[in-house]
């Protein structure tokens, strides 16, 4: 199979690679969502040693710079309560944590979640967190620019390997809200 983006040597339907995905991601891929055909989620094998953006696009294709999205975990706090949420923005932008995220969560303060919290709560590896398979109670905030991409490269839940999905598929994930102004 040829990946819809990049120049990857090893691409397959993610449903055929569940053994390479962490349990929450494998479960979500196997179950599917939003009527998305299972073959629309593609797994590509990648070298974790070239995970840095510059090295990654040099190895796997320059077009990935514009078609990659990052998923970050944020913590919104109000009073004694903390709400965890995930935010997905194109990799050449950053998440507006103290503006769009804080307001959407109704939080007094918002910041990136500590690494141990993000990893522990998602069951995924740091640097590979993906919006697919997140805890069901979490809000999933997606920038409209991500949804508008034909295909988007995202994490697979592990540092080795990535997933390629239609941008609109991310808006169909459970708990997803397309939030204007999320990526700045």
């Amino acid at each position: 199979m040829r990946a819809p983006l990049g120049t990857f040597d090893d691409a397959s339907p993610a449903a055929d690679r569940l053994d390479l995905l962490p349990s929450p991601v494998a479960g979500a891929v196997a179950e599917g969502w939003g009527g998305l055909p299972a073959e629309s989620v593609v797994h590509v094998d990648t070298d974790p040693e070239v995970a840095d953006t510059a090295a990654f696009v040099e190895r796997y294709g320059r077009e990935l710079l514009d078609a990659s999205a990052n998923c970050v975990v944020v913590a919104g706090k109000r009073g004694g309560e903390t709400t965890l949420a995930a935010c997905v923005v194109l990799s050449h932008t950053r998440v507006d944590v103290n503006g769009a995220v804080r307001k959407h969560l109704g939080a007094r303060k918002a910041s990136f979640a500590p690494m141990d919290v993000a990893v522990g709560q998602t069951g995924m590896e740091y640097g590979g967190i993906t919006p697919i398979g997140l805890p069901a109670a979490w809000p999933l905030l997606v920038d409209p620019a991500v949804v508008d991409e034909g295909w988007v490269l995202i994490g697979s839940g592990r540092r080795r390997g990535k997933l390629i999905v239609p941008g609109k598929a991310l808006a169909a994930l459970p708990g997803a809200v397309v939030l204007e102004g999320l990526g700045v």
Side-chain angles (χ1 to χ4, degrees), residues 77-162:
K77 297 179 182 179
R78 182 169 197 86
E81 298 223 3
T82 299
T83 300
L84 295 175
C87 302
V88 183
V89 298
L90 292 175
S91 61
H92 57 81
T93 64
R94 62 182 175 77
V95 176
D96 183 11
V97 175
N98 286 308
V101 175
R102 185 182 58 75
K103 287 176 189 166
H104 182 81
L105 295 179
R108 174 170 251 177
K109 179 183 176 192
S111 59
F112 294 106
M115 181 175 69
D116 61 324
V117 171
V119 169
Q121 294 291 315
T122 63
M124 301 177 202
E125 293 177 4
Y126 190 73
I129 293 176
T130 183
I132 299 171
L134 290 169
W138 285 19
L140 171 59
L141 310 178
V142 183
D143 188 77
V146 174
V147 177
D148 290 343
E149 288 292 322
W151 292 95
V152 181
L153 180 85
I154 58 174
S156 68
R158 295 219 161 108
R159 288 204 36 94
R160 178 174 203 125
K162 301 282 186 191

Side-chain angles (χ1 to χ4, degrees), residues 3 17 30 34 36 39 42 50 63 100 105 123 128 131 136 155 160 176:
R17 291 293 187 73
L36 181 72
E39 62 274 5
V42 177
V50 294
E63 76 272 20
L105 295 179
R160 178 174 203 125

Side-chain angles (χ1 to χ4, degrees), residues 39-56:
E39 62 274 5
S40 293
V41 181
V42 177
H43 178 273
V44 292
D45 190 29
T46 60
D47 181 351
E49 297 301 314
V50 294
D52 173 66
T53 301
F56 190 87

